[in-house]
Amino acid sequence: MSVGDGTLLPITDVPPQSVRSRYAVIAIPLALLGWSIALVPPLAITIALRLRELDLDGAAVNLGLVLGVGALFSFVTNPLAGRFSDRTMSRFGMRKPWIFGGAAIGYAGIAIIAFAPNVLFVLAGWSVAQIGLNFCLAALIAMLPDQVEPNRRGRVASFISLAQNVGGVGATFLVQLFPIGVLQGLVPSLFGVVLMLAAVTPVKDRIRTERPADRFDLRTLFGSFVFNPRRYPDLGWAWLTRFFLNTTQFTATSYLTYFLIAQFHVSDADAPTMVFEAVLVNAVGLLIVTPVLGWLSDKLGRRKPFVITSSLIATVGLSLIAVSTSIPMLLLGELILGAGVGAFFAVELALIADVLPNEETAGKDLGVANLAQSLPQSLIPIAAPGVIAAFGYPGLFLGGALFGILGALGVTRVRKVR
């Protein structure tokens, strides 16, 4: 841990609260803004367009393969990085080494995608990018309970939600400034990586000078991926709620490029601009509700009513996108979906943080919680080609909308948080 003059103190000598600083309230969302700008270009646009260049007929199937395998690496990496950061002994802190190292690995993967000569290289590049960027994500999210008091977490969670979604707008805006090619794949993500590292550098990180008392063996390693929902039922239900709502959100974004091309006959060259417009409208809906609801959630001391309402709004928005017959109708659906997703992410991270069993294992537990964000990215690409073949893109989106309803039901089972 750092004190005012920059001196690092051992985590064993001081309680976690003493590392907290006002700057972290800004730094963590700003770093996650950069993280989102780095992640979104390949996830939403450039991989899809690169695959169409390499194999037009097999692009949809290949996209499912690439996103699914990459998400599998995300699934494995995120909780491990959280566990490792809890145990890291470095004079630079517990979280920062994973953020900086992950940024370098992640951007290397994005560079591989930009220069990929075939689908296999795209697959390899996205897998490497997911490993590196999930190192960053796990450590950044673990900074929330490290740095922020419980009664301010709703506001900070809402800032994080805004940052990540505004990051999507910024990323798609940057992508559409460049023609299809190498610069389109490299420059937007580089901007995000630089922003992330610049934001997190001044944060006073925690530092561990003594080894943890528990041994790190295979049992501990595999324990990085699980928690006991019978012992911690609130965390279990909060996890499921996060899984359901992230399924709704990821369904709306993962195949948007191909939906626009197939449903509205948008050209490959125009697709980045159309995706940017859709993401921008989505962000407007999010910006309208997120700051107010994050503050109101802290003020009222309540999380669940906001999650229930947001889940139902998101369901309506994605359903409208599914049945869209015109671009204006699709954009209206994006606006409603953005409001619902914004209302959810204004409080969901605070909800997760409020039900964590132990602050000393926050990195590990938040890493497991982050599986609820990465697991849909693995499952949807596996299921999507079959669903699209049977029911088209509207069927895929309507299926995703159903998970919003499940999210509303899941959060009602959380007892510790109102």
Side-chain angles (χ1 to χ4, degrees):
M1 186 198 75
S2 298
V3 294
D5 61 358
T7 304
L8 296 172
L9 298 178
I11 190 172
T12 51
D13 293 345
V14 288
Q17 297 93 297
S18 60
V19 77
R20 291 168 179 163
S21 67
R22 291 185 177 181
Y23 173 70
V25 173
I26 301 172
I28 297 173
L30 193 59
L32 284 162
L33 170 65
W35 180 88
S36 181
I37 292 174
L39 177 78
V40 167
L43 178 63
I45 302 175
T46 57
I47 288 178
L49 295 179
R50 188 77 185 113
L51 291 174
R52 282 176 63 84
E53 285 185 309
L54 295 170
D55 181 6
L56 181 60
D57 293 336
V61 173
N62 288 332
L63 180 64
L65 174 65
V66 170
L67 295 183
V69 173
L72 177 62
F73 280 97
S74 168
F75 179 89
V76 173
T77 302
N78 202 294
L80 284 180
R83 169 75 82 175
F84 292 151
S85 74
D86 284 338
R87 306 174 67 88
T88 294
M89 298 177 63
S90 166
R91 65 188 183 90
F92 300 107
M94 297 169 63
R95 316 299 184 191
K96 285 185 181 181
W98 296 95
I99 296 170
F100 279 79
I105 295 170
Y107 191 72
I110 290 169
I112 292 172
I113 297 169
F115 292 101
N118 54 47
V119 174
L120 182 60
F121 272 79
V122 176
L123 175 63
W126 186 232
S127 300
V128 171
Q130 284 280 36
I131 290 171
L133 291 176
N134 275 276
F135 283 164
C136 299
L137 179 62
L140 284 169
I141 295 298
M143 280 186 166
L144 179 67
D146 285 354
Q147 303 282 345
V148 181
E149 299 88 348
N151 64 352
R152 302 177 73 190
R153 288 175 185 166
R155 277 165 284 185
V156 178
S158 69
F159 295 155
I160 290 172
S161 173
L162 281 173
Q164 290 185 289
N165 286 275
V166 170
V169 176
T172 53
F173 172 75
L174 290 171
V175 169
Q176 57 95 39
L177 294 179
F178 299 91
I180 296 174
V182 172
L183 290 180
Q184 188 183 68
L186 291 178
V187 176
S189 293
L190 178 61
F191 181 88
V193 167
V194 171
L195 176 60
M196 174 176 62
L197 298 183
V200 81
T201 296
V203 174
K204 297 182 288 186
D205 200 2
R206 298 170 67 188
I207 190 167
R208 181 184 291 278
T209 59
E210 297 181 5
R211 295 189 181 280
D214 59 316
R215 294 178 57 190
F216 191 76
D217 50 21
L218 284 178
R219 182 177 180 181
T220 305
L221 177 67
F222 288 110
S224 301
F225 299 94
V226 297
F227 62 91
N228 187 341
R230 297 185 65 180
R231 186 176 180 185
Y232 307 112
D234 281 348
L235 183 57
W237 286 111
W239 190 98
L240 276 176
T241 299
R242 191 180 216 200
F243 170 79
F244 292 143
L245 265 295
N246 274 284
T247 299
T248 298
Q249 183 200 32
F250 189 72
T251 302
T253 59
S254 58
Y255 280 81
L256 180 59
T257 299
Y258 287 172
F259 178 61
L260 289 167
I261 292 171
Q263 189 79 2
F264 300 105
H265 309 292
V266 175
S267 69
D268 285 20
D270 292 335
T273 299
M274 290 303 305
V275 171
F276 164 66
E277 291 178 1
V279 172
L280 177 62
V281 172
N282 183 280
V284 170
L286 184 143
L287 287 166
I288 292 172
V289 301
T290 303
V292 175
L293 294 188
W295 170 83
L296 190 60
S297 173
D298 283 343
K299 189 74 173 177
L300 299 178
R302 300 178 70 89
R303 314 289 191 202
K304 290 158 64 174
F306 298 99
V307 174
I308 293 170
T309 302
S310 68
S311 301
L312 299 178
I313 294 172
T315 297
V316 172
L318 187 52
S319 298
L320 186 58
I321 293 171
V323 300
S324 295
T325 55
S326 66
I327 294 296
M329 187 175 177
L330 180 143
L331 294 179
L332 177 60
E334 289 283 355
L335 181 70
I336 297 171
L337 176 65
V341 170
F344 173 66
F345 286 110
V347 297
E348 68 92 20
L349 188 55
L351 175 70
I352 293 285
D354 287 346
V355 298
L356 289 179
N358 185 352
E359 278 195 343
E360 289 301 308
T361 60
K364 177 262 184 184
D365 293 328
L366 283 168
V368 176
N370 286 341
L371 292 180
Q373 184 172 340
S374 60
L375 189 57
Q377 298 178 38
S378 299
L379 298 179
I380 291 171
I382 294 172
V387 174
I388 293 169
F391 305 105
Y393 289 99
L396 177 68
F397 290 157
L398 287 172
L402 291 176
F403 282 90
I405 297 174
L406 294 176
L409 295 174
V411 77
T412 62
R413 303 299 301 272
V414 177
R415 302 301 182 195
K416 181 179 177 182
V417 177
R418 293 192 299 161

